[in-house]
Amino acid sequence: MPLKPLIDADTIADRVADLGRAITHDFLGKDLVIVAVLKGSYVFAADLARHIDLDVAVEFLGVRSYGDQQESSGVVQITTDLSTSIEGKHVILVEDIVDTGLTISYLHENLATRQPASLKIASLLHKPARTRVPVDIDYLGFTVDDVFIVGYGLDYAQKFRNLPYLAVVTDEDA
Ligand code: IMP
């Protein structure tokens, strides 16, 4: 599968450090929980957490989205739920990419019913060209064009999550 490099590892690291600093500043003195949406955000969440200079709890949400490889249907099933209550806590939902916005808006609505003290969204990537549900992303890494991206946690058919940089899947032969 031909890949074209899009954002290199150093650029990602600098941006994730910026986001970590902003979160540290915004949540000083507060009880913070970051909720990583599996599987795509596992690399971003791990790096982001290490740039947050606060006591931070880490939780995971496993989701299954019905749709084909490159298209989310918006029908989301939670396959692994949080291990603890988030009531009264300050929560940041961490996603790899907001594409149509259907997944994150479903998850945001779901977590909001659990009465957190506050609920914010961090996403490494945003593809505004494909928006179906507008989403306020409080901490955004990069805005990208309407292309299919892999690496740094993002997959194509479960492959390429371990690439240390972000790349575009192209149709061209290499
Ligand atoms: P949405 O519900 O359309 O916003 O899609 C969100 C999910 O679709 C993401 O969490 C990814 O798992 C997947 N996804 C959307 N676009 C891409 C992409 O370019 N590369 C890899 N996964 C993607």
Side-chain angles (χ1 to χ4, degrees):
M1 170 99 18
L3 298 181
K4 195 166 113 221
L6 180 70
I7 304 176
D8 66 54
D10 285 346
T11 306
I12 298 169
D14 287 349
R15 188 72 194 123
V16 173
D18 288 344
L19 298 180
R21 270 190 294 274
I23 290 170
T24 303
H25 171 267
D26 293 350
F27 290 90
L28 268 185
K30 296 187 174 151
D31 254 351
L32 182 62
V33 182
I34 64 170
V35 174
V37 181
L38 296 174
K39 297 175 186 172
S41 80
Y42 83 105
V43 178
F44 174 45
D47 284 347
L48 184 64
R50 283 176 287 178
H51 285 287
I52 299 174
D53 191 13
L54 302 169
D55 284 339
V56 55
V58 180
E59 285 287 329
F60 299 96
L61 257 188
V63 300
R64 179 183 299 140
S65 172
Y66 294 97
D68 63 29
Q69 256 343 308
Q70 302 204 5
E71 190 77 24
S72 121
S73 65
V75 181
V76 179
Q77 183 193 355
I78 293 181
T79 54
T80 308
D81 208 341
L82 307 183
S83 69
T84 185
S85 165
I86 54 166
E87 191 175 337
K89 308 263 178 67
H90 295 274
V91 175
I92 302 179
L93 195 48
V94 180
E95 254 292 24
D96 53 352
I97 183 163
V98 175
D99 185 25
T100 62
L102 290 162
T103 304
I104 199 77
S105 57
Y106 171 86
L107 295 177
H108 187 276
E109 214 170 282
N110 182 297
L111 293 196
T113 65
R114 307 182 194 197
Q115 271 122 35
S118 68
L119 180 56
K120 304 281 188 197
I121 293 174
S123 183
L124 178 69
L125 302 172
H126 183 213
K127 252 189 231 178
R130 297 204 2 118
T131 300
R132 285 175 61 190
V133 184
V135 175
D136 276 335
I137 303 173
D138 303 282
Y139 304 99
L140 173 63
F142 306 94
T143 299
V144 292
D145 292 337
D146 184 7
V147 286
F148 199 81
I149 297 173
V150 295
Y152 198 71
L154 288 88
D155 77 308
Y156 177 77
Q158 299 303 323
K159 286 198 293 193
F160 308 120
R161 292 193 197 277
N162 57 328
L163 270 188
Y165 58 92
L166 290 161
V168 177
V169 175
T170 68
D171 294 330
E172 305 140 27
D173 290 325

